[in-house]
């Protein structure tokens, strides 16, 4: 009964209803951007909508399969044929669009070629693939390791210890090749906009739970609450349960809607491909598949929202102020922007473990944040998941004890 009462208090407030309505509209807008996929037909006209998605999927599906030496050679050959065509070399926009139509099927693989044959590990040139010849195909996977070694020996020589350098090289070498390629536009679009959805959800959740423990004080009913029979125990537990259920329910529903709408529209093919075939994940040293990255994004975002919401609830109980508690999520998001201007190894390691990182696990998978404990080296992702799961768990009794003694 007390638990249901606390839930009703959260969802009955007009300001909270407005906040949830705002979240709904933001998710709709983000879904709109995520589904913004176009296709250029043979006449050079740009199409959008379901027909464009279907056409793009059909073209890219033709190149699905293992990216072995023969497939890379075919892609390079096809790309050379396109760049040598009169349409590609023409200054006429319509002619250029016709040439672009011919390359849409290999566009994802072409981008990987730009990464692999870049002049440096941190370089990217959109036209790099146009310079390649079929004889270079055997270097496609070797270049990943070569560029990494060169980067570690030069630009990043002072940033990582010898053990960490060996760790990165070993992780690269252990990634199984050749990569399997398939149409992955649905997942790549989903990953690109996921941080925005998670962060907005976190801010709304912080607002919703901020008043759970401070309302009694703002409404001047704290005397009645704490002198009641179960005010200091069962009622306090009911507040914590309500906060947990609000965070869990709204977060999972939001991610379900965002995922469902995006993948139903764009397609979920490519879920078993290695994440390295996704444009932004080419350099990642994590040996996982696309569906595993998605799970990490969802779980990481949930743990982050749970920790930050519990922290807001503790501040609300401690200060008796919902306003101060609402500020907490914004402060957590602001700290990286403030410290990011101080580019030192120590600051970078601190930034890599801030709770804000959990809200963008998909991006963290592309970072080279490493932490050494003796001879053991770990990436940031497992540390973040374990660390903030424990902190969120520890915050529960802290909130209870803080409110119980009021």
């Amino acid at each position: 009964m007390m638990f249901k009462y606390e839930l009703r208090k959260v969802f009955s407030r007009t300001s909270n209803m407005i906040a949830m309505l705002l979240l709904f509209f933001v998710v709709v807008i983000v879904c709109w951007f995520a589904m913004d996929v176009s296709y250029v037909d043979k006449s050079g006209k740009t199409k959008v909508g379901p027909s464009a998605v279907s056409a793009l999927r059909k073209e890219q599906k033709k190149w699905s399969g293992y990216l072995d030496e023969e497939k890379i050679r075919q892609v390079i050959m096809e790309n050379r044929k396109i760049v040598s065509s009169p349409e590609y070399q023409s200054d006429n926009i319509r002619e250029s669009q016709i040439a672009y139509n011919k390359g849409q099927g290999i566009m994802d693989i072409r981008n990987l070629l730009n990464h692999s044959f870049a002049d440096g590990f941190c370089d990217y040139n959109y036209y790099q693939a146009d310079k390649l010849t079929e004889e270079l195909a055997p270097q496609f996977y070797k270049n990943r390791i070569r560029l990494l070694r060169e980067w570690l020996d030069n630009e990043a020589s002072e940033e990582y210890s010898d053990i960490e350098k060996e760790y990165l090289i070993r992780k690269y070498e252990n990634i199984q090749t050749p990569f399997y390629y398939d149409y992955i536009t649905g997942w790549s679009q989903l990953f690109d906009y996921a941080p925005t959805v998670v962060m907005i959800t976190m801010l709304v959740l912080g607002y919703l739970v901020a008043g759970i423990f401070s309302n009694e004080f703002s409404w001047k009913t704290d005397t009645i609450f704490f002198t009641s029979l179960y005010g200091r125990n069962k009622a306090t537990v009911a507040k914590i349960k309500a906060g947990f259920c609000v965070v869990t329910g709204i977060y999972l529903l939001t991610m379900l809607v965002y995922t469902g709408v995006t993948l139903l529209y764009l397609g979920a093919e490519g879920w078993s491909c290695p994440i390295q075939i996704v444009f932004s994940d080419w350099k990642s040293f994590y040996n996982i598949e696309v569906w595993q990255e998605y799970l990490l994004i969802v779980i990481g975002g949930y743990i982050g929202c749970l920790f930050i919401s519990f922290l807001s609830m503790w501040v609300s109980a401690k200060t008796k102020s919902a306003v101060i508690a609402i500020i907490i999520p914004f402060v957590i998001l602001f700290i990286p922007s403030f410290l990011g201007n101080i580019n030192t190894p120590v600051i970078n390691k601190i930034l890599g473990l801030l709770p804000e990182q959990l809200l963008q696990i998909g991006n963290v998978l592309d970072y080279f944040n490493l932490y050494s404990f003796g001879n053991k080296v770990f990436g940031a992702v497992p540390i973040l998941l374990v660390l903030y799961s424990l902190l969120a768990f520890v915050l529960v009794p802290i909130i209870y004890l803080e409110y119980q003694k009021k």
Side-chain angles (χ1 to χ4, degrees):
M1 183 64 71
M2 287 183 285
F3 167 68
K4 293 181 180 180
Y5 174 66
E6 291 295 337
L7 282 180
R8 283 200 299 270
K9 284 165 61 177
V10 172
F11 293 113
S12 62
R13 296 185 63 184
T14 303
S15 58
N16 288 357
M17 294 299 292
I18 294 174
M20 288 186 287
L21 190 62
L22 176 63
L23 174 61
F24 171 77
F25 282 118
V26 169
V27 172
V28 170
I29 294 172
V30 174
C31 286
W32 176 266
F33 282 110
M35 295 187 299
D36 185 19
V37 172
S38 60
Y39 175 79
V40 177
D41 63 18
K42 293 182 179 180
S43 64
K45 294 182 179 179
T46 301
K47 294 183 176 181
V48 295
S51 61
V53 174
S54 178
L56 182 63
R57 179 192 288 112
K58 182 179 179 181
E59 288 298 316
Q60 295 186 347
K61 274 288 195 180
K62 295 178 182 178
W63 295 90
S64 62
Y66 287 99
L67 294 179
D68 53 18
E69 185 177 322
E70 180 59 29
K71 180 64 69 66
I72 296 299
R73 184 178 286 106
Q74 291 174 5
V75 172
I76 293 176
M77 187 184 305
E78 180 69 17
N79 187 68
R80 287 188 65 195
K81 186 188 301 182
I82 294 171
V83 300
S84 301
S85 66
E87 293 86 1
Y88 186 90
Q89 298 176 6
S90 174
D91 293 331
N92 183 276
I93 297 178
R94 173 61 66 85
E95 294 291 320
S96 298
Q97 288 291 85
I98 293 175
Y100 182 83
N101 161 263
K102 299 177 182 178
Q104 288 173 110
I106 62 170
M107 186 57 65
D108 288 342
I109 305 175
R110 184 183 183 280
N111 288 331
L112 298 185
L113 292 174
N114 290 330
H115 276 304
S116 174
F117 292 93
D119 295 328
F121 187 72
C122 298
D123 296 333
Y124 180 82
N125 180 357
Y126 178 81
Y127 299 101
Q128 188 72 20
D130 298 348
K131 308 173 185 177
L132 305 180
T133 59
E134 295 90 314
E135 292 74 20
L136 295 173
Q139 304 299 320
F140 180 70
Y141 294 107
K142 297 177 182 178
N143 284 343
R144 292 186 77 250
I145 301 174
R146 177 182 63 81
L147 291 175
L148 174 66
R149 287 181 181 274
E150 292 176 356
W151 179 67
L152 291 174
D153 289 340
N154 296 290
E155 294 96 323
S157 60
E158 302 296 326
E159 189 172 347
Y160 300 100
S161 65
D162 291 339
I163 295 177
E164 291 172 338
K165 291 177 183 178
E166 292 174 4
Y167 172 83
L168 287 172
I169 294 172
R170 186 169 64 253
K171 295 292 283 187
Y172 259 45
E173 291 176 339
N174 290 341
I175 295 176
Q176 186 176 356
T177 58
F179 298 152
Y180 185 83
Y181 169 78
D182 199 355
Y183 167 82
I184 54 165
T185 300
W187 293 103
S188 61
Q189 290 291 97
L190 186 76
F191 293 164
D192 285 346
Y193 293 95
T196 302
V197 174
V198 175
M199 287 185 182
I200 294 298
T201 304
M202 182 271 292
L203 293 175
V204 172
L205 289 174
Y207 180 83
L208 294 179
V209 303
I212 290 178
F213 285 91
S214 61
N215 284 340
E216 271 66 36
F217 299 100
S218 60
W219 295 340
K220 306 301 181 182
T221 59
D222 52 303
T223 304
I224 299 173
F225 182 88
F226 289 111
T227 55
S228 61
L229 179 60
Y230 298 113
R232 295 184 180 275
N233 42 62
K234 290 185 178 181
T236 302
V237 171
K239 286 180 175 290
I240 296 175
K241 286 182 178 180
F244 173 79
C245 289
V246 167
V247 173
T248 301
I250 293 180
Y251 175 81
L252 293 181
L253 180 62
T254 301
M255 292 304 294
L256 179 63
V257 170
Y258 171 62
T259 302
V261 171
T262 304
L263 294 185
L264 284 174
Y265 182 79
L266 296 177
E269 293 99 319
W271 59 272
S272 61
C273 295
I275 64 173
Q276 282 74 21
I277 71 164
V278 179
F279 175 77
S280 59
D281 293 336
W282 167 258
K283 298 175 185 177
S284 177
F285 62 85
Y286 291 93
N287 190 8
I288 59 175
E289 296 178 353
V290 169
W291 70 271
Q292 293 171 311
E293 177 174 354
Y294 172 73
L295 283 182
L296 287 174
I297 290 173
V298 173
I299 294 172
Y302 175 62
I303 294 172
C305 287
L306 204 60
F307 168 76
I308 295 171
S309 296
F310 279 171
L311 187 62
S312 296
M313 290 163 64
W314 174 74
V315 171
S316 176
K318 183 75 175 178
T319 64
K320 308 176 185 179
S321 171
V323 175
I324 298 177
I326 291 171
I327 295 175
I328 295 300
F330 291 93
V331 171
I332 290 176
L333 291 181
F334 174 76
I335 289 176
S337 300
F338 176 75
L339 295 178
N341 297 323
I342 309 173
N343 189 17
T344 65
V346 175
I347 295 298
N348 290 337
K349 286 188 178 294
I350 294 174
L351 290 174
L353 291 180
L354 290 180
E356 171 262 349
Q357 296 289 294
L358 279 170
L359 309 179
Q360 49 177 340
I361 285 289
N363 295 332
V364 176
L365 289 170
D366 306 326
Y367 300 156
F368 285 72
N369 294 330
L370 300 179
Y371 300 87
S372 302
F373 302 93
N375 293 326
K376 297 291 184 180
V377 181
F378 299 93
V381 172
I383 296 176
L384 286 167
L385 296 176
V386 173
L387 175 62
Y388 286 101
S389 294
L390 292 174
L391 290 177
F393 180 79
V394 169
L395 275 173
V396 173
I398 292 177
I399 295 171
Y400 177 81
L401 293 174
E402 178 64 40
Y403 207 64
Q404 187 188 45
K405 69 180 183 181
K406 290 297 181 183

PDB file of all heavy atoms in Angstrom, residues 140-163:
ATOM      1  N   PHE A 140      44.777  -5.575 -45.936  1.00  0.00           N
ATOM      2  CA  PHE A 140      43.594  -4.993 -45.283  1.00  0.00           C
ATOM      3  C   PHE A 140      43.609  -5.193 -43.765  1.00  0.00           C
ATOM      4  O   PHE A 140      43.448  -4.233 -42.997  1.00  0.00           O
ATOM      5  CB  PHE A 140      42.329  -5.595 -45.890  1.00  0.00           C
ATOM      6  CG  PHE A 140      41.049  -5.076 -45.298  1.00  0.00           C
ATOM      7  CD1 PHE A 140      40.636  -3.777 -45.532  1.00  0.00           C
ATOM      8  CD2 PHE A 140      40.255  -5.893 -44.508  1.00  0.00           C
ATOM      9  CE1 PHE A 140      39.456  -3.292 -44.990  1.00  0.00           C
ATOM     10  CE2 PHE A 140      39.072  -5.419 -43.963  1.00  0.00           C
ATOM     11  CZ  PHE A 140      38.669  -4.119 -44.204  1.00  0.00           C
ATOM     12  N   TYR A 141      43.805  -6.400 -43.287  1.00  0.00           N
ATOM     13  CA  TYR A 141      43.807  -6.670 -41.848  1.00  0.00           C
ATOM     14  C   TYR A 141      45.164  -6.396 -41.212  1.00  0.00           C
ATOM     15  O   TYR A 141      45.239  -5.991 -40.045  1.00  0.00           O
ATOM     16  CB  TYR A 141      43.382  -8.118 -41.581  1.00  0.00           C
ATOM     17  CG  TYR A 141      41.951  -8.393 -41.973  1.00  0.00           C
ATOM     18  CD1 TYR A 141      41.648  -9.143 -43.107  1.00  0.00           C
ATOM     19  CD2 TYR A 141      40.889  -7.875 -41.228  1.00  0.00           C
ATOM     20  CE1 TYR A 141      40.332  -9.380 -43.478  1.00  0.00           C
ATOM     21  CE2 TYR A 141      39.572  -8.105 -41.598  1.00  0.00           C
ATOM     22  CZ  TYR A 141      39.303  -8.862 -42.725  1.00  0.00           C
ATOM     23  OH  TYR A 141      37.995  -9.083 -43.088  1.00  0.00           O
ATOM     24  N   LYS A 142      46.222  -6.613 -41.978  1.00  0.00           N
ATOM     25  CA  LYS A 142      47.567  -6.349 -41.452  1.00  0.00           C
ATOM     26  C   LYS A 142      47.749  -4.881 -41.101  1.00  0.00           C
ATOM     27  O   LYS A 142      48.468  -4.533 -40.154  1.00  0.00           O
ATOM     28  CB  LYS A 142      48.620  -6.783 -42.474  1.00  0.00           C
ATOM     29  CG  LYS A 142      48.624  -8.273 -42.768  1.00  0.00           C
ATOM     30  CD  LYS A 142      49.647  -8.613 -43.845  1.00  0.00           C
ATOM     31  CE  LYS A 142      49.618 -10.106 -44.187  1.00  0.00           C
ATOM     32  NZ  LYS A 142      50.575 -10.452 -45.265  1.00  0.00           N
ATOM     33  N   ASN A 143      47.090  -4.007 -41.857  1.00  0.00           N
ATOM     34  CA  ASN A 143      47.228  -2.573 -41.624  1.00  0.00           C
ATOM     35  C   ASN A 143      46.687  -2.153 -40.257  1.00  0.00           C
ATOM     36  O   ASN A 143      47.193  -1.200 -39.657  1.00  0.00           O
ATOM     37  CB  ASN A 143      46.514  -1.773 -42.714  1.00  0.00           C
ATOM     38  CG  ASN A 143      47.288  -1.754 -44.014  1.00  0.00           C
ATOM     39  OD1 ASN A 143      48.474  -2.051 -44.043  1.00  0.00           O
ATOM     40  ND2 ASN A 143      46.613  -1.418 -45.105  1.00  0.00           N
ATOM     41  N   ARG A 144      45.655  -2.864 -39.775  1.00  0.00           N
ATOM     42  CA  ARG A 144      45.101  -2.511 -38.457  1.00  0.00           C
ATOM     43  C   ARG A 144      46.182  -2.612 -37.392  1.00  0.00           C
ATOM     44  O   ARG A 144      46.347  -1.699 -36.562  1.00  0.00           O
ATOM     45  CB  ARG A 144      43.944  -3.444 -38.073  1.00  0.00           C
ATOM     46  CG  ARG A 144      42.699  -3.287 -38.915  1.00  0.00           C
ATOM     47  CD  ARG A 144      41.565  -4.127 -38.385  1.00  0.00           C
ATOM     48  NE  ARG A 144      40.933  -3.548 -37.210  1.00  0.00           N
ATOM     49  CZ  ARG A 144      41.027  -4.028 -35.989  1.00  0.00           C
ATOM     50  NH1 ARG A 144      41.733  -5.101 -35.753  1.00  0.00           N
ATOM     51  NH2 ARG A 144      40.394  -3.439 -34.992  1.00  0.00           N
ATOM     52  N   ILE A 145      46.909  -3.701 -37.410  1.00  0.00           N
ATOM     53  CA  ILE A 145      47.949  -3.922 -36.407  1.00  0.00           C
ATOM     54  C   ILE A 145      49.160  -3.025 -36.665  1.00  0.00           C
ATOM     55  O   ILE A 145      49.744  -2.472 -35.734  1.00  0.00           O
ATOM     56  CB  ILE A 145      48.366  -5.405 -36.400  1.00  0.00           C
ATOM     57  CG1 ILE A 145      47.149  -6.287 -36.095  1.00  0.00           C
ATOM     58  CG2 ILE A 145      49.470  -5.653 -35.374  1.00  0.00           C
ATOM     59  CD1 ILE A 145      47.414  -7.769 -36.197  1.00  0.00           C
ATOM     60  N   ARG A 146      49.515  -2.871 -37.941  1.00  0.00           N
ATOM     61  CA  ARG A 146      50.672  -2.025 -38.268  1.00  0.00           C
ATOM     62  C   ARG A 146      50.465  -0.584 -37.821  1.00  0.00           C
ATOM     63  O   ARG A 146      51.349   0.021 -37.187  1.00  0.00           O
ATOM     64  CB  ARG A 146      50.936  -2.081 -39.780  1.00  0.00           C
ATOM     65  CG  ARG A 146      52.086  -1.168 -40.237  1.00  0.00           C
ATOM     66  CD  ARG A 146      52.265  -1.218 -41.736  1.00  0.00           C
ATOM     67  NE  ARG A 146      51.090  -0.733 -42.456  1.00  0.00           N
ATOM     68  CZ  ARG A 146      50.827   0.558 -42.661  1.00  0.00           C
ATOM     69  NH1 ARG A 146      51.629   1.500 -42.171  1.00  0.00           N
ATOM     70  NH2 ARG A 146      49.751   0.921 -43.336  1.00  0.00           N
ATOM     71  N   LEU A 147      49.300  -0.021 -38.142  1.00  0.00           N
ATOM     72  CA  LEU A 147      49.021   1.364 -37.757  1.00  0.00           C
ATOM     73  C   LEU A 147      48.963   1.525 -36.245  1.00  0.00           C
ATOM     74  O   LEU A 147      49.394   2.547 -35.706  1.00  0.00           O
ATOM     75  CB  LEU A 147      47.706   1.826 -38.397  1.00  0.00           C
ATOM     76  CG  LEU A 147      47.711   2.002 -39.918  1.00  0.00           C
ATOM     77  CD1 LEU A 147      46.312   2.338 -40.420  1.00  0.00           C
ATOM     78  CD2 LEU A 147      48.694   3.089 -40.327  1.00  0.00           C
ATOM     79  N   LEU A 148      48.418   0.511 -35.558  1.00  0.00           N
ATOM     80  CA  LEU A 148      48.381   0.566 -34.095  1.00  0.00           C
ATOM     81  C   LEU A 148      49.792   0.579 -33.526  1.00  0.00           C
ATOM     82  O   LEU A 148      50.108   1.387 -32.628  1.00  0.00           O
ATOM     83  CB  LEU A 148      47.611  -0.629 -33.545  1.00  0.00           C
ATOM     84  CG  LEU A 148      47.612  -0.779 -32.015  1.00  0.00           C
ATOM     85  CD1 LEU A 148      46.870   0.380 -31.365  1.00  0.00           C
ATOM     86  CD2 LEU A 148      47.006  -2.121 -31.598  1.00  0.00           C
ATOM     87  N   ARG A 149      50.669  -0.298 -34.033  1.00  0.00           N
ATOM     88  CA  ARG A 149      52.044  -0.359 -33.540  1.00  0.00           C
ATOM     89  C   ARG A 149      52.759   0.974 -33.767  1.00  0.00           C
ATOM     90  O   ARG A 149      53.458   1.476 -32.872  1.00  0.00           O
ATOM     91  CB  ARG A 149      52.813  -1.477 -34.254  1.00  0.00           C
ATOM     92  CG  ARG A 149      52.420  -2.894 -33.833  1.00  0.00           C
ATOM     93  CD  ARG A 149      53.266  -3.906 -34.595  1.00  0.00           C
ATOM     94  NE  ARG A 149      52.918  -5.271 -34.262  1.00  0.00           N
ATOM     95  CZ  ARG A 149      53.421  -5.949 -33.240  1.00  0.00           C
ATOM     96  NH1 ARG A 149      54.313  -5.373 -32.442  1.00  0.00           N
ATOM     97  NH2 ARG A 149      53.056  -7.207 -33.012  1.00  0.00           N
ATOM     98  N   GLU A 150      52.586   1.551 -34.942  1.00  0.00           N
ATOM     99  CA  GLU A 150      53.234   2.822 -35.255  1.00  0.00           C
ATOM    100  C   GLU A 150      52.741   3.927 -34.328  1.00  0.00           C
ATOM    101  O   GLU A 150      53.530   4.765 -33.866  1.00  0.00           O
ATOM    102  CB  GLU A 150      52.977   3.196 -36.711  1.00  0.00           C
ATOM    103  CG  GLU A 150      53.663   2.279 -37.707  1.00  0.00           C
ATOM    104  CD  GLU A 150      53.314   2.624 -39.142  1.00  0.00           C
ATOM    105  OE1 GLU A 150      52.470   3.540 -39.341  1.00  0.00           O
ATOM    106  OE2 GLU A 150      53.858   1.979 -40.064  1.00  0.00           O
ATOM    107  N   TRP A 151      51.452   3.922 -34.052  1.00  0.00           N
ATOM    108  CA  TRP A 151      50.868   4.941 -33.172  1.00  0.00           C
ATOM    109  C   TRP A 151      51.396   4.793 -31.744  1.00  0.00           C
ATOM    110  O   TRP A 151      51.746   5.792 -31.093  1.00  0.00           O
ATOM    111  CB  TRP A 151      49.347   4.806 -33.196  1.00  0.00           C
ATOM    112  CG  TRP A 151      48.627   5.777 -32.313  1.00  0.00           C
ATOM    113  CD1 TRP A 151      48.560   7.133 -32.452  1.00  0.00           C
ATOM    114  CD2 TRP A 151      47.857   5.460 -31.153  1.00  0.00           C
ATOM    115  NE1 TRP A 151      47.788   7.685 -31.458  1.00  0.00           N
ATOM    116  CE2 TRP A 151      47.343   6.679 -30.650  1.00  0.00           C
ATOM    117  CE3 TRP A 151      47.538   4.268 -30.507  1.00  0.00           C
ATOM    118  CZ2 TRP A 151      46.545   6.721 -29.512  1.00  0.00           C
ATOM    119  CZ3 TRP A 151      46.739   4.319 -29.379  1.00  0.00           C
ATOM    120  CH2 TRP A 151      46.251   5.537 -28.890  1.00  0.00           C
ATOM    121  N   LEU A 152      51.477   3.568 -31.255  1.00  0.00           N
ATOM    122  CA  LEU A 152      51.969   3.315 -29.905  1.00  0.00           C
ATOM    123  C   LEU A 152      53.455   3.646 -29.781  1.00  0.00           C
ATOM    124  O   LEU A 152      53.916   4.060 -28.709  1.00  0.00           O
ATOM    125  CB  LEU A 152      51.730   1.857 -29.515  1.00  0.00           C
ATOM    126  CG  LEU A 152      50.270   1.436 -29.312  1.00  0.00           C
ATOM    127  CD1 LEU A 152      50.184  -0.066 -29.063  1.00  0.00           C
ATOM    128  CD2 LEU A 152      49.629   2.200 -28.154  1.00  0.00           C
ATOM    129  N   ASP A 153      54.196   3.482 -30.866  1.00  0.00           N
ATOM    130  CA  ASP A 153      55.636   3.768 -30.827  1.00  0.00           C
ATOM    131  C   ASP A 153      55.939   5.251 -30.979  1.00  0.00           C
ATOM    132  O   ASP A 153      57.043   5.695 -30.625  1.00  0.00           O
ATOM    133  CB  ASP A 153      56.351   2.995 -31.948  1.00  0.00           C
ATOM    134  CG  ASP A 153      56.393   1.504 -31.688  1.00  0.00           C
ATOM    135  OD1 ASP A 153      56.235   1.106 -30.513  1.00  0.00           O
ATOM    136  OD2 ASP A 153      56.558   0.731 -32.657  1.00  0.00           O
ATOM    137  N   ASN A 154      54.975   6.017 -31.492  1.00  0.00           N
ATOM    138  CA  ASN A 154      55.232   7.439 -31.772  1.00  0.00           C
ATOM    139  C   ASN A 154      54.327   8.368 -30.961  1.00  0.00           C
ATOM    140  O   ASN A 154      54.682   8.770 -29.862  1.00  0.00           O
ATOM    141  CB  ASN A 154      55.080   7.700 -33.270  1.00  0.00           C
ATOM    142  CG  ASN A 154      56.113   6.938 -34.094  1.00  0.00           C
ATOM    143  OD1 ASN A 154      57.286   7.256 -34.065  1.00  0.00           O
ATOM    144  ND2 ASN A 154      55.674   5.937 -34.845  1.00  0.00           N
ATOM    145  N   GLU A 155      53.138   8.668 -31.494  1.00  0.00           N
ATOM    146  CA  GLU A 155      52.268   9.655 -30.834  1.00  0.00           C
ATOM    147  C   GLU A 155      51.873   9.256 -29.412  1.00  0.00           C
ATOM    148  O   GLU A 155      51.781  10.109 -28.526  1.00  0.00           O
ATOM    149  CB  GLU A 155      50.994   9.874 -31.651  1.00  0.00           C
ATOM    150  CG  GLU A 155      51.215  10.527 -33.009  1.00  0.00           C
ATOM    151  CD  GLU A 155      51.314   9.504 -34.113  1.00  0.00           C
ATOM    152  OE1 GLU A 155      51.889   8.436 -33.860  1.00  0.00           O
ATOM    153  OE2 GLU A 155      50.831   9.775 -35.219  1.00  0.00           O
ATOM    154  N   ALA A 156      51.614   7.964 -29.176  1.00  0.00           N
ATOM    155  CA  ALA A 156      51.129   7.532 -27.859  1.00  0.00           C
ATOM    156  C   ALA A 156      52.208   6.832 -27.039  1.00  0.00           C
ATOM    157  O   ALA A 156      51.895   6.113 -26.086  1.00  0.00           O
ATOM    158  CB  ALA A 156      49.930   6.598 -28.040  1.00  0.00           C
ATOM    159  N   SER A 157      53.463   7.057 -27.380  1.00  0.00           N
ATOM    160  CA  SER A 157      54.551   6.342 -26.713  1.00  0.00           C
ATOM    161  C   SER A 157      54.636   6.639 -25.223  1.00  0.00           C
ATOM    162  O   SER A 157      55.021   5.776 -24.425  1.00  0.00           O
ATOM    163  CB  SER A 157      55.887   6.678 -27.391  1.00  0.00           C
ATOM    164  OG  SER A 157      56.138   8.070 -27.328  1.00  0.00           O
ATOM    165  N   GLU A 158      54.275   7.870 -24.822  1.00  0.00           N
ATOM    166  CA  GLU A 158      54.352   8.256 -23.413  1.00  0.00           C
ATOM    167  C   GLU A 158      53.043   8.015 -22.659  1.00  0.00           C
ATOM    168  O   GLU A 158      53.000   8.121 -21.430  1.00  0.00           O
ATOM    169  CB  GLU A 158      54.722   9.742 -23.297  1.00  0.00           C
ATOM    170  CG  GLU A 158      56.030  10.122 -23.970  1.00  0.00           C
ATOM    171  CD  GLU A 158      57.221   9.438 -23.314  1.00  0.00           C
ATOM    172  OE1 GLU A 158      57.176   9.240 -22.078  1.00  0.00           O
ATOM    173  OE2 GLU A 158      58.177   9.091 -24.027  1.00  0.00           O
ATOM    174  N   GLU A 159      52.001   7.723 -23.380  1.00  0.00           N
ATOM    175  CA  GLU A 159      50.672   7.609 -22.765  1.00  0.00           C
ATOM    176  C   GLU A 159      50.427   6.234 -22.160  1.00  0.00           C
ATOM    177  O   GLU A 159      49.667   6.098 -21.193  1.00  0.00           O
ATOM    178  CB  GLU A 159      49.603   7.921 -23.806  1.00  0.00           C
ATOM    179  CG  GLU A 159      48.204   8.037 -23.251  1.00  0.00           C
ATOM    180  CD  GLU A 159      47.218   8.529 -24.283  1.00  0.00           C
ATOM    181  OE1 GLU A 159      47.656   9.007 -25.362  1.00  0.00           O
ATOM    182  OE2 GLU A 159      45.998   8.439 -24.031  1.00  0.00           O
ATOM    183  N   TYR A 160      51.060   5.208 -22.713  1.00  0.00           N
ATOM    184  CA  TYR A 160      50.813   3.842 -22.254  1.00  0.00           C
ATOM    185  C   TYR A 160      52.115   3.181 -21.821  1.00  0.00           C
ATOM    186  O   TYR A 160      53.184   3.437 -22.395  1.00  0.00           O
ATOM    187  CB  TYR A 160      50.161   3.005 -23.369  1.00  0.00           C
ATOM    188  CG  TYR A 160      48.840   3.543 -23.843  1.00  0.00           C
ATOM    189  CD1 TYR A 160      48.759   4.288 -25.021  1.00  0.00           C
ATOM    190  CD2 TYR A 160      47.673   3.321 -23.125  1.00  0.00           C
ATOM    191  CE1 TYR A 160      47.546   4.788 -25.464  1.00  0.00           C
ATOM    192  CE2 TYR A 160      46.447   3.818 -23.561  1.00  0.00           C
ATOM    193  CZ  TYR A 160      46.398   4.552 -24.728  1.00  0.00           C
ATOM    194  OH  TYR A 160      45.197   5.052 -25.159  1.00  0.00           O
ATOM    195  N   SER A 161      52.014   2.306 -20.815  1.00  0.00           N
ATOM    196  CA  SER A 161      53.169   1.535 -20.371  1.00  0.00           C
ATOM    197  C   SER A 161      53.427   0.405 -21.368  1.00  0.00           C
ATOM    198  O   SER A 161      52.597   0.119 -22.246  1.00  0.00           O
ATOM    199  CB  SER A 161      52.916   0.962 -18.979  1.00  0.00           C
ATOM    200  OG  SER A 161      51.851   0.020 -19.015  1.00  0.00           O
ATOM    201  N   ASP A 162      54.562  -0.247 -21.223  1.00  0.00           N
ATOM    202  CA  ASP A 162      54.884  -1.361 -22.129  1.00  0.00           C
ATOM    203  C   ASP A 162      53.864  -2.484 -22.007  1.00  0.00           C
ATOM    204  O   ASP A 162      53.489  -3.110 -23.010  1.00  0.00           O
ATOM    205  CB  ASP A 162      56.292  -1.895 -21.808  1.00  0.00           C
ATOM    206  CG  ASP A 162      57.382  -0.905 -22.191  1.00  0.00           C
ATOM    207  OD1 ASP A 162      57.108  -0.027 -23.032  1.00  0.00           O
ATOM    208  OD2 ASP A 162      58.493  -1.010 -21.645  1.00  0.00           O
ATOM    209  N   ILE A 163      53.398  -2.734 -20.780  1.00  0.00           N
ATOM    210  CA  ILE A 163      52.400  -3.790 -20.573  1.00  0.00           C
ATOM    211  C   ILE A 163      51.101  -3.429 -21.275  1.00  0.00           C
ATOM    212  O   ILE A 163      50.455  -4.291 -21.887  1.00  0.00           O
ATOM    213  CB  ILE A 163      52.151  -4.005 -19.067  1.00  0.00           C
ATOM    214  CG1 ILE A 163      53.417  -4.531 -18.395  1.00  0.00           C
ATOM    215  CG2 ILE A 163      50.997  -4.975 -18.841  1.00  0.00           C
ATOM    216  CD1 ILE A 163      53.283  -4.706 -16.897  1.00  0.00           C
TER     217      ILE A 163
END
